[in-house]
Amino acid sequence: MAVPHGPAGVGEARHRMRDQLRRGGVAESVIDDAVLILSELLSNACKHGRPLGDALAGDGDVRAAWRVDPGGRLLVEVTDGGGPTRPAPATPSVTAHGGRGLNIITALADDWGVRDELHGEVTVWVVVHEDVHDPDAGHRRDDFATRVAAPSVAAMPELDFADAFDDLD
């Protein structure tokens, strides 16, 4: 998918990815991670990379792609026209307004890397999840709160809170 070099196309790319992965039967928690990773990659490409071709910054496009390969791995790639530095995780200060994108990707993804392409293009690729066909792929234990929920207070007759408040008078 061609995405405008700048913030304008990020929302559309996220929406398209979410729709396609849902139709492909990918677990919702894996999709959430993939959409966040795509946002970070596109933001980095627009901030640090040039658009593809001969377009000026702010004009032109970068390329976003995602797919589930035959082995069940969910792959996300963003290609830009290259930049003055190589993509690498930063160590931002606590008060910094940015610099955490690749650290977020590292935390969420199974693997990622950088590939140099023809004509100075740079692709950052991410393996979001190794096996989206696994029924537990990316399962975040959404049922955890239900599993440990205490019985309601009304179901415990030995607890009479009204008597406890009588003692406060």
Side-chain angles (χ1 to χ4, degrees), residues 3-119:
V3 179
H5 186 265
V10 176
E12 181 184 343
R14 290 167 49 106
H15 182 74
R16 183 184 288 184
M17 172 189 259
R18 186 174 296 280
D19 286 349
Q20 288 178 353
L21 293 177
R22 275 184 180 149
R23 284 194 311 266
V26 175
E28 198 66 32
S29 58
V30 174
I31 294 171
D32 291 342
D33 289 349
V35 167
L36 178 56
I37 287 168
L38 178 67
S39 294
E40 293 296 336
L41 292 176
L42 287 171
S43 295
N44 285 349
C46 293
K47 183 175 182 179
H48 303 290
R50 293 182 296 272
L52 296 168
D54 295 327
L56 299 173
D59 293 329
D61 298 319
V62 296
R63 189 170 46 250
W66 53 87
R67 66 185 168 97
V68 176
D69 74 7
R73 296 183 319 160
L74 174 56
L75 305 164
V76 176
E77 297 181 347
V78 170
T79 303
D80 62 41
T85 60
R86 298 283 297 160
T91 309
S93 71
V94 175
T95 58
H97 294 291
R100 294 174 184 82
L102 289 176
N103 292 317
I104 291 169
I105 290 169
T106 299
L108 293 176
D110 288 347
D111 197 11
W112 72 274
V114 180
R115 186 174 64 239
D116 293 311
E117 306 285 351
L118 298 174
H119 309 165

